[in-house]
Amino acid sequence: AGRARSRRGMAAAAGSPRLPAWCRALRGLLLAVLAAGSCHGNSVERKIYIPLNKTAPCVRLLNATHQIGCQSSISGDTGVIHVVEKEEDLSWVLADGPHPPYMILLDGNLFNRSVLMQLKGTSRVSGLAVSIAKPNPPQGFSPGLKCPNDGFGVYSKDYGPQYAHCNTTVWNPLGSGISYEDFDFPIFLLEDANETQVIKQCYQDHNVPRDGSGPEYPLCAMQLFSHMHAVTSTVTCMRRNSIQNTFSINPETVCDPLLDYNVWSTLQPINSSGKVDREKEVIIVATRIDSHSFFWNIAPGAESAVSSFVTHLAAAEALHKASDVHLLQRNVMFTFFQGETFDYIGSSRMVYDMEKDKFPLRLDNIHSFVELNQVALRNGSVLWMHTDPVSWMNESVQTQVRNLLDILSNSSVGVNVTLQEVGYSQPLPPSSFQRFLRARHIPGVVLTDHQAAFQNRYYQSMYDTPENIRMQYPEGLSPEETLEYVTDTAKSLAEVATVVARALYRLAGGANNTSAIQADPKTVTRMLYGFLIKMNNSWFQSIIKPDLKGILGDVPQHYVAVSSPVNTTYLVQYVLANLTGTVVNLTKEECLNPDKAPNTEKELYDYAWVQGSLDPNSTTRVPYCVRSTVHLTKALSPAFELRQWGSTEYSTWTESRWKEIRARIFLVASKELEIITLVVGIAILVFSLLATHFINAKADVLFSIPRDPGAVAY
């Protein structure tokens, strides 16, 4: 036995005899296939598809009764690309083209209701990719409603019915309403001109019709993925969420309420966790900080939101610098509402909290209300004062409103702003003030740059950009020089902020000369640059907490969304704290835990440890502690607190969830070639099965080591 083992070892060491040639060839082929698959399998997709990385989808939103927006099928929608640069090009897509369905690359100037309604009614279209029009469409473009937030303001069959549903004034005459339509195919915005050019080149190379006939295969195609999980309405999707949360171990949420936080602060500190005495009077100055467009998270909002809240911030800074603000008999609350685009989410929540004693102020504490609306596109120097014609009929309110208008008008003396009254036969424009009026007759005014219809021709659109409010910079400036360059727009908004600050001082009982109250154009220009052009700038970096530096993206957007707080909310909070707060001598530990330091009055103030500016000639920052009266309160519609998902009193907007959002282009073969490929693939599969069976049957011959014929085992 020992000799046998030795002989077997010697035979193995000497190697096996040569296999037949066909066996060696087959084994070599198998090894080559396996090696090729392991080395190159991951690159196949990259060779077939070109991903489009700079896109923005249209997503699905829902309210109590409807679903709006767009979606693809669960596996994405695919179509042959056709470029549409003029309306005549649509005939190929809708009737003449032999290769439907088509994926349309649409010129931004044709992105309008007329074209979309034609495409919505046909099965020959599988999706839409929209290029940005440059320059902005001269005729204007607004995908919003002609009567924004209709049904959720103050005017109804019970209050000023003659003004309800924009019966007397159509505020947004250019509104096409396409943002509130439901499309059963995906629509994407192409943000990168280079990617748009790649698609056009692919179309030119493969898809252009030749001599009046259809192009030959292969054709350039596009695939868009944007399948939405929620359907029908908020009532349906929230009910499904509730069932999932109740019965499922791993619940899958299909939609989320639109929510964020309101930002507010007061001129004189108040106990944010207590209640203000009933006899204390507070003036509310308010504005919105959110915007919207047809495409998800594309909401520059230069005129519709940024111009007003930047002016508001500048007015807050100017008023805080007055020497006797601590002596004023009335307090001032600076309020920045989130979610106002979607049926007044932020303001309706604050009113609800005031009514339910969940906020430091009560409605009874409100002395008057001043709201800044769209203010950047003034004709000359005119700023319009809008009041409510219904509450004007109340003599007590009329007297207070008259006083408010007079103070505003007198505050413009010496400033290039002319305040004019709209008149008492016209209702209030869409404004947060309307939600307060639904609860109580409050003297108030809304300041705008428009007498009737909006001056803004790009309301709630992707074109409401810095160019829309005439922001211009000299060529060749560095980012730091651009940040500090004072534009004409900044000067104009600073003048409006000066008027507002002086008026608030007088309304609060100030008696001194107001000429020293002056908004700083340099502060305004920094804010405009940060909120409209580049959030990631040196000033914003210096005023936020170190753990929030990740929020400073390049291109600012002001959509309310469902993950909160969004970048805009954080930045408004810290800009307001920087402009109105005080630098205090506390260590980092004391600043983060004010209870550990004496006399911090934590119930009155908020403390923030911010990054600070860079040390000169160094990469090290000099952090410090800021004490302010800035606070956040939830901006979630009361409908979701009350579980009244079908409410007509409160906003019910939700956003659908999705699994993936992506777009790509590739070459697609003819049906005949696809069938041939399928048949060949099946044939190869059958051959592979037979080969596998044969190899398995002959495995002892192919892979075993034959014994040495001369070896004998006992």
Side-chain angles (χ1 to χ4, degrees):
R3 286 195 297 273
R5 285 195 296 271
S6 176
R7 284 171 181 165
R8 284 198 296 271
M10 290 170 63
S16 60
R18 290 178 63 82
L19 296 174
W22 64 270
C23 289
R24 295 198 307 273
L26 183 57
R27 186 165 66 179
L29 178 62
L30 289 171
L31 291 172
V33 169
L34 290 171
S38 63
C39 294
H40 302 290
N42 292 334
S43 65
V44 171
E45 183 175 357
R46 292 197 298 270
K47 291 181 178 179
I48 296 175
Y49 300 105
I50 299 176
L52 303 173
N53 298 317
K54 291 284 290 180
T55 61
C58 160
V59 303
R60 174 167 291 166
L61 299 172
L62 309 99
N63 65 8
T65 55
H66 291 81
Q67 64 179 30
I68 64 172
C70 323
Q71 77 154 353
S72 73
S73 62
I74 195 167
S75 57
D77 288 332
T78 304
V80 174
I81 295 172
H82 190 75
V83 176
V84 175
E85 295 180 326
K86 52 186 183 298
E87 284 212 46
E88 292 75 20
D89 296 336
L90 288 172
S91 60
W92 183 266
V93 173
L94 299 175
D96 303 336
H99 305 118
Y102 284 96
M103 192 68 71
I104 298 174
L105 175 57
L106 187 68
D107 184 271
N109 289 298
L110 293 177
F111 186 57
N112 55 51
R113 185 176 185 86
S114 172
V115 169
L116 285 180
M117 291 302 106
Q118 291 182 65
L119 303 180
K120 185 178 179 180
T122 177
S123 61
R124 290 175 59 88
V125 174
S126 60
L128 197 60
V130 182
S131 63
I132 297 177
K134 291 186 177 179
N136 294 351
Q139 70 277 13
F141 173 74
S142 174
L145 299 171
K146 293 183 183 294
C147 190
N149 291 0
D150 185 26
F152 289 86
V154 67
Y155 303 111
S156 65
K157 60 182 177 62
D158 301 317
Y159 188 98
Q162 67 273 32
Y163 306 119
H165 313 300
C166 297
N167 284 336
T168 59
T169 306
V170 177
W171 298 106
N172 186 31
L174 292 176
S176 64
I178 58 173
S179 283
Y180 296 84
E181 292 285 342
D182 183 39
F183 297 93
D184 59 0
F185 53 80
I187 303 178
F188 278 52
L189 177 68
L190 301 173
E191 299 182 75
D192 189 343
N194 292 328
E195 289 187 344
T196 303
Q197 192 54 45
V198 168
I199 299 170
K200 287 184 177 180
Q201 189 61 53
C202 188
Y203 167 79
Q204 292 289 338
D205 293 342
H206 299 279
N207 295 12
V208 174
R210 311 291 180 187
D211 302 322
S213 61
E216 297 181 358
Y217 286 97
L219 297 174
C220 190
M222 183 184 294
Q223 189 172 29
L224 302 178
F225 296 84
S226 62
H227 182 67
M228 300 288 134
H229 294 174
V231 295
T232 309
S233 68
T234 289
V235 176
T236 301
C237 80
M238 291 300 292
R239 184 174 65 243
R240 290 179 179 174
N241 286 351
S242 181
I243 292 172
Q244 285 273 338
N245 291 330
T246 303
F247 297 105
S248 176
I249 298 175
N250 298 306
E252 182 179 345
T253 302
V254 295
C255 69
D256 299 283
L258 295 182
L259 70 113
D260 204 83
Y261 286 84
N262 296 324
V263 183
W264 63 275
S265 75
T266 52
L267 189 63
Q268 300 163 356
I270 62 173
N271 188 341
S272 60
S273 58
K275 299 296 294 183
V276 173
D277 293 340
R278 289 188 178 275
E279 65 272 11
K280 296 287 187 181
E281 292 184 321
V282 179
I283 301 154
I284 292 183
V285 53
T287 191
R288 68 175 61 189
I289 58 175
D290 67 297
S291 187
H292 179 45
S293 81
F294 187 88
F295 299 100
W296 183 76
N297 207 30
I298 301 294
E303 162 73 341
S304 61
V306 177
S307 68
S308 57
F309 75 69
V310 162
T311 305
H312 187 170
L313 288 164
E317 179 192 34
L319 185 56
H320 267 270
K321 288 181 177 179
S323 59
D324 59 338
V325 290
H326 60 288
L327 301 176
L328 297 178
Q329 66 186 69
R330 299 187 185 97
N331 207 345
V332 178
M333 186 170 85
F334 305 97
T335 313
F336 301 81
F337 292 120
Q338 262 286 15
E340 295 301 273
T341 302
F342 295 96
D343 300 336
Y344 306 118
I345 293 174
S347 55
S348 63
R349 179 53 187 261
M350 184 169 283
V351 171
Y352 174 82
D353 286 345
M354 287 180 176
E355 291 177 323
K356 302 299 180 182
D357 283 340
K358 297 179 179 180
F359 193 79
L361 266 64
R362 303 175 180 86
L363 289 170
D364 292 341
N365 292 121
I366 301 175
H367 170 268
S368 52
F369 198 104
V370 178
E371 181 168 354
L372 283 158
N373 213 305
Q374 303 178 82
V375 293
L377 298 177
R378 289 185 289 146
N379 277 330
S381 63
V382 177
L383 191 67
W384 294 95
M385 299 184 291
H386 299 258
T387 55
D388 173 40
V390 178
S391 59
W392 180 265
M393 305 303 292
N394 181 304
E395 287 189 16
S396 173
V397 173
Q398 183 181 138
T399 301
Q400 294 176 75
V401 172
R402 181 73 267 162
N403 178 58
L404 175 58
L405 297 177
D406 290 342
I407 288 175
L408 278 164
S409 297
N410 294 334
S411 298
S412 66
V413 175
V415 183
N416 188 29
V417 177
T418 304
L419 274 297
Q420 291 192 13
E421 299 176 26
V422 169
Y424 313 119
S425 60
Q426 182 173 289
L428 288 167
S431 52
S432 306
F433 180 40
Q434 292 199 31
R435 292 300 304 193
F436 284 80
L437 279 177
R438 282 177 73 127
R440 185 174 177 269
H441 282 310
I442 298 171
V445 62
V446 178
L447 302 176
T448 75
D449 56 21
H450 55 89
Q451 180 179 8
F454 295 161
Q455 294 276 77
N456 187 3
R457 294 178 299 133
Y458 305 106
Y459 183 73
Q460 288 187 4
S461 90
M462 56 193 170
Y463 300 115
D464 191 6
T465 57
E467 292 77 18
N468 185 37
I469 59 172
R470 305 164 189 155
M471 282 177 62
Q472 295 179 335
Y473 296 93
E475 293 184 4
L477 295 182
S478 68
E480 200 63 28
E481 290 170 337
T482 309
L483 171 67
E484 301 294 341
Y485 181 82
V486 179
T487 62
D488 290 339
T489 303
K491 294 174 184 176
S492 174
L493 294 180
E495 290 170 343
V496 176
T498 297
V499 172
V500 172
R502 291 177 179 178
L504 292 173
Y505 176 80
R506 288 285 184 229
L507 284 168
N512 293 339
N513 191 301
T514 59
S515 60
I517 299 176
Q518 187 80 36
D520 186 359
K522 198 163 188 176
T523 300
V524 175
T525 209
R526 283 177 166 187
M527 290 191 286
L528 289 174
Y529 179 81
F531 285 112
L532 288 175
I533 297 176
K534 188 177 182 182
M535 279 187 170
N536 195 11
N537 62 72
S538 60
W539 186 48
F540 278 5
Q541 289 169 7
S542 70
I543 63 174
I544 63 170
K545 291 181 177 180
D547 58 339
L548 291 178
K549 58 186 178 184
I551 70 172
L552 297 177
D554 280 336
V555 181
Q557 303 297 345
H558 307 294
Y559 174 58
V560 59
V562 296
S563 57
S564 59
V566 295
N567 300 8
T568 304
T569 303
Y570 273 131
L571 287 170
V572 168
Q573 177 189 6
Y574 285 101
V575 169
L576 182 59
N578 178 267
L579 298 180
T580 63
T582 305
V583 176
V584 290
N585 186 24
L586 295 179
T587 65
K588 180 178 180 180
E589 185 180 2
E590 291 172 336
C591 191
L592 296 177
N593 301 282
D595 293 333
K596 296 183 179 180
N599 304 320
T600 54
E601 298 179 295
K602 187 182 176 183
E603 68 279 2
L604 299 180
Y605 296 102
D606 178 77
Y607 292 82
W609 184 259
V610 300
Q611 291 194 119
S613 302
L614 286 171
D615 215 3
N617 304 317
S618 171
T619 58
T620 305
R621 293 187 176 275
V622 184
Y624 55 91
C625 187
V626 175
R627 185 186 72 183
S628 71
T629 61
V630 180
H631 304 282
L632 299 181
T633 54
K634 189 177 289 187
L636 171 66
S637 171
F640 298 101
E641 293 278 318
L642 301 169
R643 296 176 66 86
Q644 296 176 358
W645 303 320
S647 173
T648 57
E649 169 72 12
Y650 300 111
S651 171
T652 55
W653 285 105
T654 55
E655 181 186 271
S656 173
R657 288 199 176 185
W658 57 81
K659 186 176 181 180
E660 61 176 345
I661 299 287
R662 60 190 175 101
R664 60 189 185 182
I665 63 172
F666 56 96
L667 294 181
V668 63
S670 65
K671 293 294 182 185
E672 293 80 4
L673 182 57
E674 288 178 346
I675 293 172
I676 292 172
T677 304
L678 176 63
V679 171
V680 171
I682 293 172
I684 292 173
L685 175 63
V686 172
F687 173 77
S688 301
L689 293 173
L690 293 173
T692 303
H693 174 72
F694 176 77
I695 292 168
N696 186 57
K698 300 294 183 180
D700 56 336
V701 177
L702 293 171
F703 302 110
S704 66
I705 301 172
R707 293 180 179 181
D708 186 347
V712 178
Y714 298 97

